[in-house]
Amino acid sequence: MNQIAYLDNAATTQLDPKVLESMIPYMEEYYGNPSSIYALGRQSRLAIESSRKQVAEMLGVKATSIYFTSGGTESNNTAIAAAVNELGCTHIITSPIEHHAVLHTVEHYCQYNKLSCSLVKLNAMGEVDLPDLENQLAAYTKQGHKCLVSLMHANNEIGVLLEIEAVGVIARRHGAIFHSDCVQTIGHYPINLIDYGVHFASASGHKFHGPKGTGILYVSDGTKFGALIHGGSQERKKRAGTENVHGIIGFTKALALAMDNFLHDHSYIKSLNKRMRLGLKAISKNISFNSSENSLYTVLSVNFPAGTHTDLMLALMDRKGIYASGGSACSSGDDGGSHVITALKKDLPGATIRFSFSKMTSVEAIDFTLEFISSMLLPKDQAVIL
Ligand code: PLP
């Protein structure tokens, strides 16, 4: 078999075989509907409630504050809808580099509910300008608005991290609701959501070797919120529909594995990231990075020299079995390029590519990719050889 280098773990990760193993009995043997009151149904219900307890313990919160969802997108939508519909938020402060699951949802509510929205200032690395956030909150609150702050914990394209606890403190000082998209950090760091001071936090199972279509929404104690999906009384009437029992089991197992092996996996993945960074620097001094050494350890966003093109590089790597993502203002995305790179207003003359790593990435995959990149760049690293 040809060698494959899967370096797109921020997009999704491979299911851990141990996670699959934990899920199978809940498809084959314990297939009862959790809402059924006979034993087979009760077994499924028990599995869900024990998963909820485990997830809550791992995140330092109460079981009653965890709601199982279909993933990050649904959790983000539910949180923003709740802030607008139930919590009376009339102004939303977010950033231009949020995932579209936040940005498009905010746009939707601003358009249909006639709310106002503003973007917090970022520095060149994409870090949130905290004094600007404080000033905006003070100004909008003074105008009589109740504010929602929606800021992601780690950016999925460049890996910049939010000073989440500081944002939690600022938001509370102004009576604002704070939602954080933690899709790239829950399952990647030991996390205590109480310390973060968030009202809402979103996570997604497929980002840490769990199944796709699974996630959670954390809702802090006493925060009112309503259903986004209406129907039956599942998830304490907050999320109708028969529960994805095997998905919930898989999400929980994946999170448990991630937390149990954090120290080992974190240091291994960090070493891969460093190897890639140093290897690229050795190929060309004209290669630069959008991710700092202190940003999310799973992501390395790379700017290639002038004359290189994102789509062309991605296509050539694809042919070789190297899978990565574009992250450039001029790459083809669903709406014509990366809104993240565009927001950073960098003058990037060449390709921008995001490499992202996991515990399942091998050292050989990194070396193979470096070798191929080196062969793609002309000696004066001006262009990509066809
Ligand atoms: N938020 C961030 C930061 C993400 O990276 C993603 C996935 O790409 C999402 C939200 C959406 O999560 P899901 O795929 O579970 O809907």
Side-chain angles (χ1 to χ4, degrees):
M1 207 177 97
N2 286 340
Q3 187 166 8
I4 277 183
Y6 181 73
L7 302 180
D8 203 15
N9 289 276
T12 197
T13 53
Q14 194 181 343
L15 192 71
D16 187 314
K18 291 196 188 103
V19 172
L20 178 62
E21 203 184 308
S22 75
M23 293 167 68
I24 290 172
Y26 291 89
M27 289 181 271
E28 289 184 339
E29 208 179 327
Y30 307 116
Y31 55 84
N33 186 321
S35 299
S36 300
I37 54 173
Y38 42 76
L40 197 63
R42 293 200 306 273
Q43 273 163 344
S44 298
R45 163 73 42 223
L46 197 66
I48 293 176
E49 295 317 319
S50 120
S51 297
R52 196 186 312 281
K53 202 162 160 256
Q54 283 178 62
V55 169
E57 269 167 20
M58 288 186 270
L59 299 176
V61 298
K62 286 188 188 164
T64 47
S65 56
I66 299 294
Y67 295 85
F68 289 110
T69 68
S70 67
T73 301
E74 183 190 327
S75 297
N76 287 340
N77 270 265
T78 308
I80 294 165
V84 172
N85 297 330
E86 269 91 29
L87 300 169
C89 294
T90 52
H91 183 82
I92 305 177
I93 302 176
T94 186
S95 90
I97 62 170
E98 298 300 303
H99 191 273
H100 282 150
V102 164
L103 283 180
H104 289 170
T105 308
V106 168
E107 275 167 25
H108 169 86
Y109 284 102
C110 288
Q111 192 177 344
Y112 292 100
N113 293 49
K114 306 248 181 298
L115 312 175
S116 54
C117 162
S118 55
L119 299 174
V120 73
K121 277 192 203 151
L122 304 175
N123 68 13
M125 296 301 296
E127 288 160 344
V128 167
D129 181 332
L130 294 180
D132 181 59
L133 175 66
E134 179 106 51
N135 290 340
Q136 288 203 32
L137 276 169
Y140 286 105
T141 310
K142 201 167 165 202
Q143 286 170 27
H145 285 288
K146 174 154 184 186
C147 296
L148 164 67
V149 174
S150 182
L151 292 171
M152 69 203 315
H153 192 191
N155 182 271
N156 48 303
E157 285 190 33
I158 55 172
V160 63
L161 286 161
L162 180 71
E163 288 182 62
I164 193 165
E165 290 184 31
V167 172
V169 170
I170 294 172
R172 277 181 197 263
R173 195 152 50 228
H174 296 276
I177 297 296
F178 178 28
H179 161 245
S180 187
D181 176 341
C182 296
V183 164
Q184 294 291 344
T185 53
I186 289 182
H188 291 122
Y189 291 101
I191 278 176
N192 183 306
L193 289 170
I194 301 284
D195 291 348
Y196 287 178
V198 286
H199 293 87
F200 297 102
S202 313
S204 173
H206 73 103
K207 305 293 185 182
F208 49 90
H209 308 284
K212 292 173 181 59
T214 65
I216 56 153
L217 175 65
Y218 159 75
V219 184
S220 71
D221 231 8
T223 301
K224 264 203 327 198
F225 89 106
L228 186 70
I229 299 175
H230 301 275
S233 55
Q234 291 90 353
E235 294 298 288
R236 283 159 287 140
K237 297 196 178 150
K238 302 295 191 199
R239 203 261 179 180
T242 301
E243 296 90 336
N244 175 5
V245 184
H246 56 280
I248 290 170
I249 298 290
F251 177 96
T252 308
K253 180 71 179 178
L255 188 60
L257 288 170
M259 293 303 96
D260 287 351
N261 302 317
F262 169 73
L263 286 178
H264 174 270
D265 294 348
H266 172 261
S267 97
Y268 175 64
I269 298 166
K270 234 181 140 123
S271 76
L272 294 178
N273 194 324
K274 189 169 173 197
R275 192 179 185 93
M276 187 81 187
R277 187 184 276 269
L278 292 178
L280 287 167
K281 278 312 275 179
I283 291 172
S284 165
K285 61 178 183 351
N286 293 326
I287 287 176
S288 65
F289 304 100
N290 298 310
S291 319
S292 83
E293 285 178 39
N294 300 323
S295 57
L296 180 66
Y297 62 97
T298 51
V299 166
L300 183 64
S301 171
V302 184
N303 303 315
F304 286 92
T308 55
H309 300 279
T310 304
D311 290 348
L312 184 55
M313 280 190 74
L314 288 175
L316 290 173
M317 290 198 296
D318 183 3
R319 271 195 352 212
K320 198 78 185 160
I322 300 168
Y323 305 129
S325 272
S328 137
C330 53
S331 77
S332 67
D334 58 357
D335 51 7
S338 160
H339 66 286
V340 175
I341 300 295
T342 305
L344 294 182
K345 296 192 186 88
K346 288 192 182 187
D347 187 17
L348 299 175
T352 298
I353 293 178
R354 174 191 73 182
F355 298 96
S356 49
F357 320 101
S358 81
K359 64 179 181 182
M360 292 189 181
T361 309
S362 66
V363 172
E364 290 73 32
I366 303 290
D367 292 348
F368 171 61
T369 303
L370 287 169
E371 215 174 283
F372 185 65
I373 289 174
S374 171
S375 74
M376 268 199 298
L377 299 178
L378 286 169
K380 285 194 178 306
D381 63 42
Q382 291 303 304
V384 169
I385 300 171
L386 271 174

